[in-house]
Amino acid sequence: EVSRGCVAKCVFCTEVHFWKYRGRLSGNVLDEVEHQYKTYGLDFVWFIDSLVNGNLKELRAFALGVADRKLPIRWQGYARCDGRMDLDYYKDLKASGCQMLNYGIESGSQSVLDVMKKNLTVQEIEDNMRYGAEVGVSASTNWIVGFPTETTQDFADTLTLIWRIRNFNIVNI
């Protein structure tokens, strides 16, 4: 785990009621992964915490540290789309062995995302999907259909977004 809890306060999620967000320092995670690699030959890590990118600075430091230590690992984890994750950020993730991120996108309708308090724009979602695909970081996505305020148009907006990102390395797991 990189962290416990989540930095978001999405209205449908119970995560924040169970765990206050606590992230580990990148050096600590790096040391643990390096130990697992050298001791047991572990070369793939699936971070199962709710949010590997809750602290973008620490995740990038982890990514840069993996590359700096030349650890031949691959990894994946759960993440939120975030507009601060630009193309260079994704390049660093890929260089560290990031294979896939699983995103809770939920909706392609800005009005539904706003009601959900996702603090995210449809454009940021699309950018994250594009950047990941450009560098070779696959994505799996989670969606909520029938959110209480969702209209037929909101659902159409979601389908439209899914259509626009369909070729951006989305995998089915």
mmCIF file of all heavy atoms in Angstrom, residues 40-88:
data_model
loop_
_atom_site.group_PDB
_atom_site.id
_atom_site.type_symbol
_atom_site.label_atom_id
_atom_site.label_comp_id
_atom_site.label_asym_id
_atom_site.label_seq_id
_atom_site.Cartn_x
_atom_site.Cartn_y
_atom_site.Cartn_z
ATOM 1 N N TYR A 40 12.995 -11.687 -2.617
ATOM 2 C CA TYR A 40 12.056 -12.700 -3.108
ATOM 3 C C TYR A 40 11.889 -12.715 -4.626
ATOM 4 O O TYR A 40 11.119 -13.511 -5.151
ATOM 5 C CB TYR A 40 10.678 -12.494 -2.459
ATOM 6 C CG TYR A 40 10.733 -12.516 -0.958
ATOM 7 C CD1 TYR A 40 10.583 -11.343 -0.226
ATOM 8 C CD2 TYR A 40 10.982 -13.700 -0.259
ATOM 9 C CE1 TYR A 40 10.647 -11.348 1.161
ATOM 10 C CE2 TYR A 40 11.050 -13.710 1.125
ATOM 11 C CZ TYR A 40 10.890 -12.538 1.827
ATOM 12 O OH TYR A 40 10.953 -12.543 3.193
ATOM 13 N N GLY A 41 12.560 -11.816 -5.319
ATOM 14 C CA GLY A 41 12.443 -11.771 -6.773
ATOM 15 C C GLY A 41 11.154 -11.139 -7.268
ATOM 16 O O GLY A 41 10.826 -11.246 -8.447
ATOM 17 N N LEU A 42 10.435 -10.483 -6.374
ATOM 18 C CA LEU A 42 9.192 -9.828 -6.760
ATOM 19 C C LEU A 42 9.481 -8.797 -7.845
ATOM 20 O O LEU A 42 10.345 -7.948 -7.678
ATOM 21 C CB LEU A 42 8.586 -9.138 -5.537
ATOM 22 C CG LEU A 42 7.401 -8.233 -5.778
ATOM 23 C CD1 LEU A 42 6.303 -8.586 -4.811
ATOM 24 C CD2 LEU A 42 7.806 -6.793 -5.658
ATOM 25 N N ASP A 43 8.789 -8.914 -8.971
ATOM 26 C CA ASP A 43 8.999 -7.928 -10.028
ATOM 27 C C ASP A 43 7.700 -7.279 -10.492
ATOM 28 O O ASP A 43 7.676 -6.540 -11.459
ATOM 29 C CB ASP A 43 9.750 -8.537 -11.211
ATOM 30 C CG ASP A 43 8.974 -9.638 -11.910
ATOM 31 O OD1 ASP A 43 7.883 -10.004 -11.442
ATOM 32 O OD2 ASP A 43 9.464 -10.129 -12.938
ATOM 33 N N PHE A 44 6.598 -7.593 -9.815
ATOM 34 C CA PHE A 44 5.322 -6.947 -10.117
ATOM 35 C C PHE A 44 4.628 -6.604 -8.806
ATOM 36 O O PHE A 44 4.521 -7.448 -7.918
ATOM 37 C CB PHE A 44 4.415 -7.860 -10.954
ATOM 38 C CG PHE A 44 3.126 -7.196 -11.318
ATOM 39 C CD1 PHE A 44 3.066 -6.332 -12.398
ATOM 40 C CD2 PHE A 44 1.988 -7.399 -10.563
ATOM 41 C CE1 PHE A 44 1.879 -5.694 -12.732
ATOM 42 C CE2 PHE A 44 0.795 -6.768 -10.882
ATOM 43 C CZ PHE A 44 0.748 -5.914 -11.975
ATOM 44 N N VAL A 45 4.144 -5.370 -8.697
ATOM 45 C CA VAL A 45 3.449 -4.915 -7.497
ATOM 46 C C VAL A 45 2.085 -4.374 -7.916
ATOM 47 O O VAL A 45 1.989 -3.552 -8.823
ATOM 48 C CB VAL A 45 4.227 -3.792 -6.773
ATOM 49 C CG1 VAL A 45 3.460 -3.293 -5.560
ATOM 50 C CG2 VAL A 45 5.618 -4.258 -6.389
ATOM 51 N N TRP A 46 1.052 -4.874 -7.268
ATOM 52 C CA TRP A 46 -0.285 -4.324 -7.456
ATOM 53 C C TRP A 46 -0.629 -3.615 -6.157
ATOM 54 O O TRP A 46 -0.912 -4.241 -5.149
ATOM 55 C CB TRP A 46 -1.296 -5.413 -7.754
ATOM 56 C CG TRP A 46 -2.665 -4.903 -8.115
ATOM 57 C CD1 TRP A 46 -3.208 -3.674 -7.842
ATOM 58 C CD2 TRP A 46 -3.661 -5.621 -8.820
ATOM 59 N NE1 TRP A 46 -4.478 -3.580 -8.323
ATOM 60 C CE2 TRP A 46 -4.789 -4.779 -8.944
ATOM 61 C CE3 TRP A 46 -3.735 -6.904 -9.356
ATOM 62 C CZ2 TRP A 46 -5.950 -5.169 -9.576
ATOM 63 C CZ3 TRP A 46 -4.909 -7.278 -9.984
ATOM 64 C CH2 TRP A 46 -5.991 -6.419 -10.098
ATOM 65 N N PHE A 47 -0.544 -2.290 -6.186
ATOM 66 C CA PHE A 47 -0.889 -1.499 -5.015
ATOM 67 C C PHE A 47 -2.411 -1.541 -4.869
ATOM 68 O O PHE A 47 -3.134 -1.072 -5.738
ATOM 69 C CB PHE A 47 -0.392 -0.063 -5.154
ATOM 70 C CG PHE A 47 1.106 0.051 -5.141
ATOM 71 C CD1 PHE A 47 1.812 0.341 -6.293
ATOM 72 C CD2 PHE A 47 1.809 -0.155 -3.961
ATOM 73 C CE1 PHE A 47 3.186 0.445 -6.279
ATOM 74 C CE2 PHE A 47 3.201 -0.054 -3.935
ATOM 75 C CZ PHE A 47 3.890 0.246 -5.101
ATOM 76 N N ILE A 48 -2.869 -2.113 -3.764
ATOM 77 C CA ILE A 48 -4.303 -2.337 -3.599
ATOM 78 C C ILE A 48 -4.987 -1.289 -2.733
ATOM 79 O O ILE A 48 -6.156 -1.421 -2.411
ATOM 80 C CB ILE A 48 -4.584 -3.750 -3.026
ATOM 81 C CG1 ILE A 48 -3.890 -3.915 -1.681
ATOM 82 C CG2 ILE A 48 -4.173 -4.816 -4.020
ATOM 83 C CD1 ILE A 48 -4.339 -5.136 -0.911
ATOM 84 N N ASP A 49 -4.265 -0.250 -2.377
ATOM 85 C CA ASP A 49 -4.910 0.824 -1.639
ATOM 86 C C ASP A 49 -5.871 1.567 -2.560
ATOM 87 O O ASP A 49 -5.868 1.387 -3.776
ATOM 88 C CB ASP A 49 -3.879 1.769 -1.038
ATOM 89 C CG ASP A 49 -2.764 2.168 -1.995
ATOM 90 O OD1 ASP A 49 -2.434 1.384 -2.893
ATOM 91 O OD2 ASP A 49 -2.218 3.263 -1.835
ATOM 92 N N SER A 50 -6.691 2.407 -2.009
ATOM 93 C CA SER A 50 -7.712 3.096 -2.792
ATOM 94 C C SER A 50 -7.146 4.141 -3.734
ATOM 95 O O SER A 50 -7.803 4.529 -4.693
ATOM 96 C CB SER A 50 -8.712 3.779 -1.856
ATOM 97 O OG SER A 50 -9.371 2.816 -1.094
ATOM 98 N N LEU A 51 -5.943 4.606 -3.453
ATOM 99 C CA LEU A 51 -5.477 5.783 -4.185
ATOM 100 C C LEU A 51 -3.949 5.876 -4.197
ATOM 101 O O LEU A 51 -3.367 6.366 -3.244
ATOM 102 C CB LEU A 51 -6.070 7.019 -3.501
ATOM 103 C CG LEU A 51 -6.041 8.326 -4.233
ATOM 104 C CD1 LEU A 51 -6.806 8.249 -5.546
ATOM 105 C CD2 LEU A 51 -6.623 9.413 -3.359
ATOM 106 N N VAL A 52 -3.319 5.432 -5.271
ATOM 107 C CA VAL A 52 -1.859 5.571 -5.338
ATOM 108 C C VAL A 52 -1.438 7.007 -5.584
ATOM 109 O O VAL A 52 -0.315 7.385 -5.264
ATOM 110 C CB VAL A 52 -1.204 4.662 -6.415
ATOM 111 C CG1 VAL A 52 -1.386 3.202 -6.093
ATOM 112 C CG2 VAL A 52 -1.671 4.999 -7.805
ATOM 113 N N ASN A 53 -2.328 7.810 -6.153
ATOM 114 C CA ASN A 53 -1.946 9.184 -6.484
ATOM 115 C C ASN A 53 -2.601 10.226 -5.584
ATOM 116 O O ASN A 53 -2.801 11.369 -5.985
ATOM 117 C CB ASN A 53 -2.238 9.479 -7.963
ATOM 118 C CG ASN A 53 -3.707 9.496 -8.306
ATOM 119 O OD1 ASN A 53 -4.533 8.908 -7.617
ATOM 120 N ND2 ASN A 53 -4.043 10.167 -9.396
ATOM 121 N N GLY A 54 -2.878 9.864 -4.355
ATOM 122 C CA GLY A 54 -3.425 10.823 -3.406
ATOM 123 C C GLY A 54 -2.442 11.928 -3.067
ATOM 124 O O GLY A 54 -2.825 13.058 -2.782
ATOM 125 N N ASN A 55 -1.164 11.619 -3.110
ATOM 126 C CA ASN A 55 -0.104 12.608 -2.938
ATOM 127 C C ASN A 55 0.756 12.542 -4.193
ATOM 128 O O ASN A 55 1.611 11.674 -4.326
ATOM 129 C CB ASN A 55 0.713 12.302 -1.688
ATOM 130 C CG ASN A 55 1.763 13.358 -1.406
ATOM 131 O OD1 ASN A 55 2.338 13.951 -2.316
ATOM 132 N ND2 ASN A 55 2.041 13.574 -0.131
ATOM 133 N N LEU A 56 0.490 13.442 -5.122
ATOM 134 C CA LEU A 56 1.170 13.394 -6.415
ATOM 135 C C LEU A 56 2.680 13.573 -6.289
ATOM 136 O O LEU A 56 3.446 12.959 -7.035
ATOM 137 C CB LEU A 56 0.602 14.460 -7.353
ATOM 138 C CG LEU A 56 -0.839 14.232 -7.804
ATOM 139 C CD1 LEU A 56 -1.318 15.387 -8.666
ATOM 140 C CD2 LEU A 56 -0.982 12.917 -8.545
ATOM 141 N N LYS A 57 3.112 14.380 -5.348
ATOM 142 C CA LYS A 57 4.547 14.601 -5.156
ATOM 143 C C LYS A 57 5.228 13.296 -4.738
ATOM 144 O O LYS A 57 6.287 12.941 -5.267
ATOM 145 C CB LYS A 57 4.760 15.686 -4.094
ATOM 146 C CG LYS A 57 6.198 15.964 -3.785
ATOM 147 C CD LYS A 57 6.344 17.016 -2.686
ATOM 148 C CE LYS A 57 7.765 17.107 -2.217
ATOM 149 N NZ LYS A 57 7.892 17.919 -1.012
ATOM 150 N N GLU A 58 4.641 12.561 -3.800
ATOM 151 C CA GLU A 58 5.248 11.310 -3.330
ATOM 152 C C GLU A 58 5.185 10.212 -4.389
ATOM 153 O O GLU A 58 6.118 9.426 -4.528
ATOM 154 C CB GLU A 58 4.592 10.843 -2.031
ATOM 155 C CG GLU A 58 4.935 11.702 -0.830
ATOM 156 C CD GLU A 58 6.423 11.738 -0.491
ATOM 157 O OE1 GLU A 58 7.104 10.703 -0.609
ATOM 158 O OE2 GLU A 58 6.902 12.816 -0.093
ATOM 159 N N LEU A 59 4.091 10.159 -5.165
ATOM 160 C CA LEU A 59 4.020 9.151 -6.221
ATOM 161 C C LEU A 59 5.081 9.416 -7.277
ATOM 162 O O LEU A 59 5.749 8.489 -7.740
ATOM 163 C CB LEU A 59 2.626 9.117 -6.867
ATOM 164 C CG LEU A 59 2.475 8.086 -7.986
ATOM 165 C CD1 LEU A 59 2.750 6.655 -7.488
ATOM 166 C CD2 LEU A 59 1.088 8.177 -8.614
ATOM 167 N N ARG A 60 5.271 10.666 -7.645
ATOM 168 C CA ARG A 60 6.313 10.983 -8.625
ATOM 169 C C ARG A 60 7.698 10.692 -8.061
ATOM 170 O O ARG A 60 8.564 10.170 -8.772
ATOM 171 C CB ARG A 60 6.214 12.443 -9.057
ATOM 172 C CG ARG A 60 7.075 12.739 -10.270
ATOM 173 C CD ARG A 60 6.812 14.094 -10.840
ATOM 174 N NE ARG A 60 6.853 14.057 -12.276
ATOM 175 C CZ ARG A 60 6.445 15.034 -13.035
ATOM 176 N NH1 ARG A 60 5.922 16.123 -12.497
ATOM 177 N NH2 ARG A 60 6.548 14.957 -14.342
ATOM 178 N N ALA A 61 7.899 10.988 -6.797
ATOM 179 C CA ALA A 61 9.193 10.674 -6.176
ATOM 180 C C ALA A 61 9.424 9.162 -6.177
ATOM 181 O O ALA A 61 10.549 8.700 -6.402
ATOM 182 C CB ALA A 61 9.248 11.237 -4.757
ATOM 183 N N PHE A 62 8.370 8.381 -5.940
ATOM 184 C CA PHE A 62 8.480 6.923 -6.022
ATOM 185 C C PHE A 62 8.879 6.514 -7.435
ATOM 186 O O PHE A 62 9.804 5.726 -7.632
ATOM 187 C CB PHE A 62 7.154 6.259 -5.629
ATOM 188 C CG PHE A 62 7.099 4.794 -5.939
ATOM 189 C CD1 PHE A 62 7.736 3.874 -5.111
ATOM 190 C CD2 PHE A 62 6.435 4.331 -7.060
ATOM 191 C CE1 PHE A 62 7.703 2.509 -5.408
ATOM 192 C CE2 PHE A 62 6.390 2.975 -7.362
ATOM 193 C CZ PHE A 62 7.034 2.062 -6.537
ATOM 194 N N ALA A 63 8.175 7.064 -8.419
ATOM 195 C CA ALA A 63 8.457 6.720 -9.815
ATOM 196 C C ALA A 63 9.893 7.066 -10.186
ATOM 197 O O ALA A 63 10.609 6.245 -10.784
ATOM 198 C CB ALA A 63 7.476 7.441 -10.744
ATOM 199 N N LEU A 64 10.331 8.248 -9.824
ATOM 200 C CA LEU A 64 11.704 8.651 -10.126
ATOM 201 C C LEU A 64 12.714 7.784 -9.374
ATOM 202 O O LEU A 64 13.776 7.455 -9.900
ATOM 203 C CB LEU A 64 11.904 10.133 -9.800
ATOM 204 C CG LEU A 64 11.084 11.107 -10.659
ATOM 205 C CD1 LEU A 64 11.212 12.523 -10.120
ATOM 206 C CD2 LEU A 64 11.480 11.032 -12.121
ATOM 207 N N GLY A 65 12.361 7.391 -8.149
ATOM 208 C CA GLY A 65 13.241 6.533 -7.354
ATOM 209 C C GLY A 65 13.383 5.145 -7.946
ATOM 210 O O GLY A 65 14.478 4.563 -7.938
ATOM 211 N N VAL A 66 12.294 4.582 -8.459
ATOM 212 C CA VAL A 66 12.367 3.267 -9.114
ATOM 213 C C VAL A 66 13.310 3.348 -10.301
ATOM 214 O O VAL A 66 14.181 2.485 -10.488
ATOM 215 C CB VAL A 66 10.962 2.782 -9.560
ATOM 216 C CG1 VAL A 66 11.067 1.578 -10.484
ATOM 217 C CG2 VAL A 66 10.097 2.444 -8.349
ATOM 218 N N ALA A 67 13.157 4.386 -11.100
ATOM 219 C CA ALA A 67 14.030 4.556 -12.269
ATOM 220 C C ALA A 67 15.477 4.793 -11.841
ATOM 221 O O ALA A 67 16.400 4.211 -12.420
ATOM 222 C CB ALA A 67 13.516 5.710 -13.133
ATOM 223 N N ASP A 68 15.665 5.613 -10.815
ATOM 224 C CA ASP A 68 17.014 5.918 -10.338
ATOM 225 C C ASP A 68 17.716 4.676 -9.789
ATOM 226 O O ASP A 68 18.907 4.465 -10.021
ATOM 227 C CB ASP A 68 16.939 7.004 -9.258
ATOM 228 C CG ASP A 68 18.318 7.465 -8.809
ATOM 229 O OD1 ASP A 68 19.122 7.850 -9.681
ATOM 230 O OD2 ASP A 68 18.578 7.437 -7.583
ATOM 231 N N ARG A 69 16.971 3.846 -9.068
ATOM 232 C CA ARG A 69 17.546 2.617 -8.513
ATOM 233 C C ARG A 69 17.600 1.488 -9.540
ATOM 234 O O ARG A 69 18.083 0.401 -9.240
ATOM 235 C CB ARG A 69 16.732 2.155 -7.295
ATOM 236 C CG ARG A 69 16.793 3.104 -6.119
ATOM 237 C CD ARG A 69 16.039 2.544 -4.936
ATOM 238 N NE ARG A 69 15.888 3.532 -3.871
ATOM 239 C CZ ARG A 69 15.494 3.238 -2.639
ATOM 240 N NH1 ARG A 69 15.186 1.983 -2.311
ATOM 241 N NH2 ARG A 69 15.381 4.180 -1.728
ATOM 242 N N LYS A 70 17.056 1.759 -10.719
ATOM 243 C CA LYS A 70 17.027 0.768 -11.799
ATOM 244 C C LYS A 70 16.365 -0.540 -11.360
ATOM 245 O O LYS A 70 16.836 -1.635 -11.673
ATOM 246 C CB LYS A 70 18.429 0.522 -12.347
ATOM 247 C CG LYS A 70 19.055 1.752 -12.982
ATOM 248 C CD LYS A 70 20.455 1.484 -13.481
ATOM 249 C CE LYS A 70 21.147 2.627 -14.129
ATOM 250 N NZ LYS A 70 20.823 3.951 -13.870
ATOM 251 N N LEU A 71 15.266 -0.392 -10.629
ATOM 252 C CA LEU A 71 14.516 -1.568 -10.200
ATOM 253 C C LEU A 71 13.671 -2.065 -11.369
ATOM 254 O O LEU A 71 12.815 -1.329 -11.864
ATOM 255 C CB LEU A 71 13.596 -1.224 -9.018
ATOM 256 C CG LEU A 71 14.279 -0.961 -7.692
ATOM 257 C CD1 LEU A 71 13.267 -0.451 -6.666
ATOM 258 C CD2 LEU A 71 14.945 -2.221 -7.186
ATOM 259 N N PRO A 72 13.892 -3.291 -11.820
ATOM 260 C CA PRO A 72 13.153 -3.804 -12.976
ATOM 261 C C PRO A 72 11.779 -4.352 -12.582
ATOM 262 O O PRO A 72 11.500 -5.542 -12.725
ATOM 263 C CB PRO A 72 14.072 -4.902 -13.507
ATOM 264 C CG PRO A 72 14.743 -5.427 -12.273
ATOM 265 C CD PRO A 72 14.913 -4.228 -11.360
ATOM 266 N N ILE A 73 10.953 -3.469 -12.071
ATOM 267 C CA ILE A 73 9.623 -3.900 -11.627
ATOM 268 C C ILE A 73 8.557 -3.331 -12.559
ATOM 269 O O ILE A 73 8.808 -2.395 -13.317
ATOM 270 C CB ILE A 73 9.317 -3.452 -10.181
ATOM 271 C CG1 ILE A 73 9.273 -1.919 -10.084
ATOM 272 C CG2 ILE A 73 10.322 -4.039 -9.204
ATOM 273 C CD1 ILE A 73 8.583 -1.395 -8.847
ATOM 274 N N ARG A 74 7.388 -3.920 -12.465
ATOM 275 C CA ARG A 74 6.180 -3.392 -13.093
ATOM 276 C C ARG A 74 5.168 -3.223 -11.970
ATOM 277 O O ARG A 74 5.223 -3.949 -10.982
ATOM 278 C CB ARG A 74 5.658 -4.369 -14.145
ATOM 279 C CG ARG A 74 6.610 -4.545 -15.318
ATOM 280 C CD ARG A 74 6.251 -5.743 -16.207
ATOM 281 N NE ARG A 74 6.377 -6.976 -15.440
ATOM 282 C CZ ARG A 74 5.370 -7.828 -15.188
ATOM 283 N NH1 ARG A 74 4.166 -7.610 -15.642
ATOM 284 N NH2 ARG A 74 5.564 -8.914 -14.466
ATOM 285 N N TRP A 75 4.276 -2.268 -12.126
ATOM 286 C CA TRP A 75 3.304 -2.047 -11.065
ATOM 287 C C TRP A 75 2.017 -1.447 -11.625
ATOM 288 O O TRP A 75 1.983 -0.933 -12.723
ATOM 289 C CB TRP A 75 3.882 -1.182 -9.951
ATOM 290 C CG TRP A 75 4.273 0.215 -10.351
ATOM 291 C CD1 TRP A 75 5.472 0.616 -10.878
ATOM 292 C CD2 TRP A 75 3.474 1.390 -10.237
ATOM 293 N NE1 TRP A 75 5.452 1.967 -11.107
ATOM 294 C CE2 TRP A 75 4.247 2.459 -10.727
ATOM 295 C CE3 TRP A 75 2.187 1.644 -9.779
ATOM 296 C CZ2 TRP A 75 3.769 3.766 -10.754
ATOM 297 C CZ3 TRP A 75 1.705 2.938 -9.821
ATOM 298 C CH2 TRP A 75 2.502 3.985 -10.295
ATOM 299 N N GLN A 76 0.969 -1.551 -10.811
ATOM 300 C CA GLN A 76 -0.310 -0.932 -11.130
ATOM 301 C C GLN A 76 -1.013 -0.580 -9.835
ATOM 302 O O GLN A 76 -0.623 -1.032 -8.760
ATOM 303 C CB GLN A 76 -1.169 -1.853 -11.985
ATOM 304 C CG GLN A 76 -1.696 -3.075 -11.264
ATOM 305 C CD GLN A 76 -2.495 -3.975 -12.192
ATOM 306 O OE1 GLN A 76 -2.101 -4.201 -13.335
ATOM 307 N NE2 GLN A 76 -3.613 -4.467 -11.705
ATOM 308 N N GLY A 77 -2.045 0.239 -9.951
ATOM 309 C CA GLY A 77 -2.792 0.623 -8.764
ATOM 310 C C GLY A 77 -4.044 1.393 -9.121
ATOM 311 O O GLY A 77 -4.343 1.657 -10.287
ATOM 312 N N TYR A 78 -4.788 1.757 -8.092
ATOM 313 C CA TYR A 78 -6.025 2.510 -8.233
ATOM 314 C C TYR A 78 -5.721 3.998 -8.106
ATOM 315 O O TYR A 78 -4.936 4.403 -7.247
ATOM 316 C CB TYR A 78 -7.024 2.095 -7.147
ATOM 317 C CG TYR A 78 -7.387 0.638 -7.245
ATOM 318 C CD1 TYR A 78 -6.749 -0.316 -6.453
ATOM 319 C CD2 TYR A 78 -8.353 0.204 -8.144
ATOM 320 C CE1 TYR A 78 -7.071 -1.658 -6.551
ATOM 321 C CE2 TYR A 78 -8.684 -1.141 -8.250
ATOM 322 C CZ TYR A 78 -8.042 -2.064 -7.458
ATOM 323 O OH TYR A 78 -8.358 -3.387 -7.567
ATOM 324 N N ALA A 79 -6.376 4.808 -8.945
ATOM 325 C CA ALA A 79 -6.061 6.233 -8.971
ATOM 326 C C ALA A 79 -7.305 7.055 -9.279
ATOM 327 O O ALA A 79 -8.309 6.533 -9.752
ATOM 328 C CB ALA A 79 -4.992 6.511 -10.029
ATOM 329 N N ARG A 80 -7.196 8.341 -9.002
ATOM 330 C CA ARG A 80 -8.192 9.317 -9.439
ATOM 331 C C ARG A 80 -7.621 10.041 -10.644
ATOM 332 O O ARG A 80 -6.419 10.288 -10.696
ATOM 333 C CB ARG A 80 -8.402 10.389 -8.358
ATOM 334 C CG ARG A 80 -9.194 9.967 -7.169
ATOM 335 C CD ARG A 80 -9.316 11.121 -6.165
ATOM 336 N NE ARG A 80 -9.719 12.398 -6.740
ATOM 337 C CZ ARG A 80 -10.973 12.750 -7.001
ATOM 338 N NH1 ARG A 80 -11.960 11.920 -6.759
ATOM 339 N NH2 ARG A 80 -11.251 13.934 -7.501
ATOM 340 N N CYS A 81 -8.470 10.390 -11.590
ATOM 341 C CA CYS A 81 -8.005 11.297 -12.630
ATOM 342 C C CYS A 81 -7.677 12.618 -11.949
ATOM 343 O O CYS A 81 -8.327 13.004 -10.979
ATOM 344 C CB CYS A 81 -9.078 11.488 -13.699
ATOM 345 S SG CYS A 81 -9.309 10.046 -14.752
ATOM 346 N N ASP A 82 -6.658 13.281 -12.443
ATOM 347 C CA ASP A 82 -6.210 14.516 -11.815
ATOM 348 C C ASP A 82 -5.573 15.393 -12.886
ATOM 349 O O ASP A 82 -4.631 14.954 -13.568
ATOM 350 C CB ASP A 82 -5.199 14.196 -10.714
ATOM 351 C CG ASP A 82 -4.888 15.383 -9.830
ATOM 352 O OD1 ASP A 82 -4.564 16.464 -10.374
ATOM 353 O OD2 ASP A 82 -4.953 15.230 -8.597
ATOM 354 N N GLY A 83 -6.055 16.600 -13.029
ATOM 355 C CA GLY A 83 -5.551 17.522 -14.033
ATOM 356 C C GLY A 83 -4.095 17.895 -13.861
ATOM 357 O O GLY A 83 -3.457 18.372 -14.805
ATOM 358 N N ARG A 84 -3.547 17.679 -12.685
ATOM 359 C CA ARG A 84 -2.132 17.994 -12.457
ATOM 360 C C ARG A 84 -1.205 16.916 -13.006
ATOM 361 O O ARG A 84 -0.002 17.118 -13.065
ATOM 362 C CB ARG A 84 -1.880 18.191 -10.960
ATOM 363 C CG ARG A 84 -2.677 19.373 -10.385
ATOM 364 C CD ARG A 84 -2.614 19.416 -8.880
ATOM 365 N NE ARG A 84 -3.299 18.235 -8.338
ATOM 366 C CZ ARG A 84 -3.280 17.863 -7.071
ATOM 367 N NH1 ARG A 84 -2.595 18.588 -6.191
ATOM 368 N NH2 ARG A 84 -3.936 16.806 -6.660
ATOM 369 N N MET A 85 -1.770 15.792 -13.412
ATOM 370 C CA MET A 85 -0.979 14.718 -14.007
ATOM 371 C C MET A 85 -0.881 14.985 -15.508
ATOM 372 O O MET A 85 -1.758 14.614 -16.278
ATOM 373 C CB MET A 85 -1.610 13.355 -13.712
ATOM 374 C CG MET A 85 -1.595 12.992 -12.246
ATOM 375 S SD MET A 85 -2.578 11.530 -11.821
ATOM 376 C CE MET A 85 -1.845 10.260 -12.820
ATOM 377 N N ASP A 86 0.201 15.654 -15.905
ATOM 378 C CA ASP A 86 0.379 16.004 -17.306
ATOM 379 C C ASP A 86 1.175 14.912 -18.029
ATOM 380 O O ASP A 86 1.486 13.867 -17.452
ATOM 381 C CB ASP A 86 1.056 17.368 -17.435
ATOM 382 C CG ASP A 86 2.432 17.434 -16.780
ATOM 383 O OD1 ASP A 86 3.000 16.378 -16.390
ATOM 384 O OD2 ASP A 86 2.959 18.551 -16.649
ATOM 385 N N LEU A 87 1.495 15.147 -19.291
ATOM 386 C CA LEU A 87 2.187 14.142 -20.086
ATOM 387 C C LEU A 87 3.534 13.769 -19.466
ATOM 388 O O LEU A 87 3.895 12.586 -19.410
ATOM 389 C CB LEU A 87 2.372 14.633 -21.521
ATOM 390 C CG LEU A 87 3.051 13.672 -22.480
ATOM 391 C CD1 LEU A 87 2.297 12.347 -22.587
ATOM 392 C CD2 LEU A 87 3.204 14.322 -23.850
ATOM 393 N N ASP A 88 4.284 14.736 -18.978
ATOM 394 C CA ASP A 88 5.576 14.435 -18.347
ATOM 395 C C ASP A 88 5.408 13.566 -17.104
ATOM 396 O O ASP A 88 6.228 12.698 -16.825
ATOM 397 C CB ASP A 88 6.329 15.721 -17.993
ATOM 398 C CG ASP A 88 6.873 16.424 -19.228
ATOM 399 O OD1 ASP A 88 7.124 15.736 -20.245
ATOM 400 O OD2 ASP A 88 7.038 17.654 -19.170
#
